[in-house]
Amino acid sequence: MNESAAPLLAEIKFDAQGLVTAVAQQDDTGEVLMVAWMNREAIERTVATGQAHYWSRSRGRLWRKGETSGQVQRLVELRLDCDGDTLLLLVDQHGVACHTGRRNCFFRALRDGKLVTIADPTVTPGELYGEEGTR
Amino acid sequence: MNESAAPLLAEIKFDAQGLVTAVAQQDDTGEVLMVAWMNREAIERTVATGQAHYWSRSRGRLWRKGETSGQVQRLVELRLDCDGDTLLLLVDQHGVACHTGRRNCFFRALRDGKLVTIADPTVTPGELYGEEGTR
């Protein structure tokens, strides 16, 4: 994939911080993997390289998913919602999406009045990131 | 469904406006229907009634999905992500989720360098909302 993001960027309504919400969904299974933020550059790089890039609000910098862990997301398709303020990334996730080592980030569910953990890590943060344990 | 949302609310990191991002996904097919915002009250009402409620930033008020259109979302399960700042609502969507009359809101896709419409409305806004045509 190596195409221009310009027609998409023209329709996006970025927030006051220049960001837009991005939902990453596994293309074949429909699993919602994670939700993150993208700025203009993250979108351009995602489209240009075919690998998902996001904007990290906590670290204040662009971030290629998997740059440290190797758990990259290959872009299959990029979609925009009716209001122009949310992106849906259909991706093929290599390995796990969550920095906790779980396949996706939504591993806590409200069941019978309790918040329960419904998925276990399949790899350890140490295996993903070495000793540092950050994403 | 009639259970307490308190254990969930305790783990949510609301933003400065008291809001959290909410992704609504059709429970059986995995289709991502829409992304909206919830505040504390929206979550409480969603859990208490078993029907999705959101906070409308544009209208500045709580909103029960389908209150005008009849296109309600029955809650199947409410999940929280690792960072505590995004909710995933597994729902059973009655009719269409998008105010344009399409099944979901992500009907524009970047393909071959163009932003193309990949789904048509299945009902008209007039059928959903009468003459007013607002969601």
Side-chain angles (χ1 to χ4, degrees), chain A residues 118-133:
Chain A
I118 60 171
D120 292 323
T122 57
V123 294
T124 68
E127 287 172 304
L128 287 177
Y129 306 102
E131 290 305 307
E132 297 170 41

Side-chain angles (χ1 to χ4, degrees), chain B residues 8-92:
Chain B
L8 173 65
L9 289 166
E11 295 296 321
I12 295 177
K13 291 180 189 134
F14 292 97
D15 70 10
Q17 284 74 47
L19 302 177
V20 61
T21 307
V23 180
Q25 182 181 32
Q26 175 67 29
D27 178 56
D28 51 358
T29 66
E31 181 181 9
V32 175
L33 299 168
M34 54 181 276
V35 172
W37 295 86
M38 298 177 89
N39 62 1
R40 180 172 291 268
E41 188 181 0
I43 295 166
E44 287 171 341
R45 290 207 193 178
T46 296
V47 171
T49 65
Q51 291 198 354
H53 291 63
Y54 300 100
W55 177 260
S56 169
R57 294 184 300 173
S58 59
R59 290 175 292 165
R61 72 169 182 87
L62 199 74
W63 151 60
R64 181 173 63 80
K65 176 71 179 168
E67 63 185 14
T68 308
S69 66
Q71 313 290 289
V72 300
Q73 292 177 342
R74 182 178 64 80
L75 182 67
V76 176
E77 188 161 272
L78 199 40
R79 295 183 186 166
L80 182 64
D81 79 342
C82 53
D83 295 327
D85 63 1
T86 308
L87 292 167
L88 178 65
L89 284 77
L90 301 178
V91 301
D92 187 20

Side-chain angles (χ1 to χ4, degrees), chain A residues 3 77 81 108 111 113, chain B residues 3 77 80-81 108 111 113:
Chain A
E3 57 178 330
E77 188 161 273
D81 79 342
R108 294 183 286 178
R111 292 182 180 174
Chain B
E3 56 178 331
E77 188 161 272
L80 182 64
D81 79 342
R108 294 183 287 177
R111 292 182 179 174

Side-chain angles (χ1 to χ4, degrees), chain A residues 23-129:
Chain A
V23 179
Q25 181 181 33
Q26 175 66 30
D27 177 57
D28 51 358
T29 66
E31 181 181 9
V32 175
L33 298 167
M34 55 180 275
V35 171
W37 296 86
M38 298 177 89
N39 63 1
R40 181 172 291 266
E41 187 181 359
I43 295 165
E44 288 172 340
R45 289 207 192 179
T46 296
V47 171
T49 65
Q51 291 199 355
H53 291 64
Y54 300 100
W55 177 260
S56 170
R57 294 184 300 174
S58 59
R59 290 175 292 165
R61 72 169 182 87
L62 198 75
W63 150 61
R64 181 174 61 81
K65 176 71 179 168
E67 63 186 13
T68 308
S69 66
Q71 313 290 289
V72 300
Q73 292 177 342
R74 183 178 63 80
L75 182 68
V76 177
E77 188 161 273
L78 199 40
R79 295 183 186 166
L80 181 65
D81 79 342
C82 53
D83 295 327
D85 63 0
T86 308
L87 291 167
L88 178 65
L89 283 79
L90 301 178
V91 301
D92 187 21
Q93 172 71 56
H94 179 80
V96 301
C98 186
H99 74 289
T100 64
R102 294 173 174 88
R103 174 74 185 168
N104 75 67
C105 296
F106 297 92
F107 55 84
R108 294 183 286 178
L110 187 65
R111 292 182 180 174
D112 298 326
K114 293 178 185 167
L115 194 63
V116 297
T117 297
I118 60 171
D120 292 323
T122 57
V123 294
T124 68
E127 287 172 304
L128 287 177
Y129 306 102

